Amino acid sequence: LHGRGQPPEFLHELAQRLDVPGLRWIAPSAEGRSWYPHPFLDPSPENATALERALEVVTDAVDSARASGFDRVAVLGFSQGACTLAHLLLTRDVVVDGAVLFTGGYVGAAELAPGAVVTRQAVPVLLRSVDDDPWVPLHRMASTSALLVGAGAHLDVLVEPGSEHVITDRAVADARVMLARLRDGGDRDG
């Protein structure tokens, strides 16, 4: 999933940058290039309504991939797309075999209660960001990480030095390894 304001071409360029042969990409595009209208920590009802629509889009894409015969399905997003996917992983019972979250945390002002989080037993989740990202504060990334671990996900998290809202070369390299492992049928424990 793309970030706020990013054109569909962003994901095409990211797929080329990741350079993992043999993957099929499904890249839904948000209406108006935004999955929800306000910053992800905003408590607005407009965000909640738009987020529900975004979660349906992702769920439909995952279901469509499974119905098309794909054995393994992973989700990947940057910024607003990663926030949407973090929220999906924590609150929806959608079966995925892995997730790559480039700079994201679950959506909303309120903390998610651990009892409201779905189980993600042994699902590998790669979470990458920089320590001074201007849009996604570390405290939300930390609370998202704690909830994913509590849900049973195998979390690989790295925060690099920096203040630009970008996907670093290290993050791309790490995601490449994870996606290649999933492509090759690596187990969910790996």
Side-chain angles (χ1 to χ4, degrees):
L1 295 185
H2 62 79
R4 183 187 304 274
Q6 291 177 323
E9 294 79 23
F10 170 81
L11 290 171
H12 178 74
E13 293 164 5
L14 180 56
Q16 289 180 327
R17 193 173 165 204
L18 286 162
D19 190 28
V20 183
L23 298 185
R24 299 273 177 122
W25 296 88
I26 298 171
S29 182
E31 183 177 322
R33 297 184 179 175
S34 182
W35 296 106
Y36 40 86
H38 305 292
F40 84 113
L41 294 174
D42 193 306
S44 75
E46 294 89 6
N47 262 11
T49 300
L51 178 63
E52 284 303 316
R53 285 193 305 269
L55 296 174
E56 287 175 19
V57 167
V58 178
T59 300
D60 290 348
V62 170
D63 291 347
S64 175
R66 295 259 185 231
S68 296
F70 293 101
D71 293 333
R72 290 175 299 283
V73 176
V75 293
L76 178 146
F78 171 60
S79 188
Q80 195 184 61
C83 291
T84 301
L85 292 176
H87 206 88
L88 176 96
L89 291 170
L90 290 169
T91 65
R92 299 297 186 273
D93 193 18
V94 176
V95 178
V96 297
D97 298 290
V100 175
L101 307 176
F102 293 124
T103 311
Y106 67 85
V107 180
E111 295 289 323
L112 287 178
V117 174
V118 300
T119 300
R120 289 284 160 208
Q121 201 59 43
V123 173
V125 178
L126 185 88
L127 180 55
R128 296 292 187 264
S129 191
V130 296
D131 61 2
D132 193 22
D133 185 89
W135 301 106
V136 180
L138 281 181
H139 72 83
R140 180 49 60 93
M141 212 176 106
S143 58
T144 300
S145 296
L147 289 169
L148 285 166
V149 168
H154 283 187
L155 185 66
D156 178 349
V157 63
L158 176 67
V159 177
E160 297 180 77
S163 59
E164 289 186 76
H165 191 61
V166 296
I167 303 171
T168 67
D169 290 341
R170 168 71 188 269
V172 168
D174 294 346
R176 182 181 301 121
V177 170
M178 178 189 172
L179 293 171
R181 186 181 308 128
L182 286 172
R183 176 203 60 201
D184 296 339
D187 63 31
R188 288 167 57 151
D189 294 318

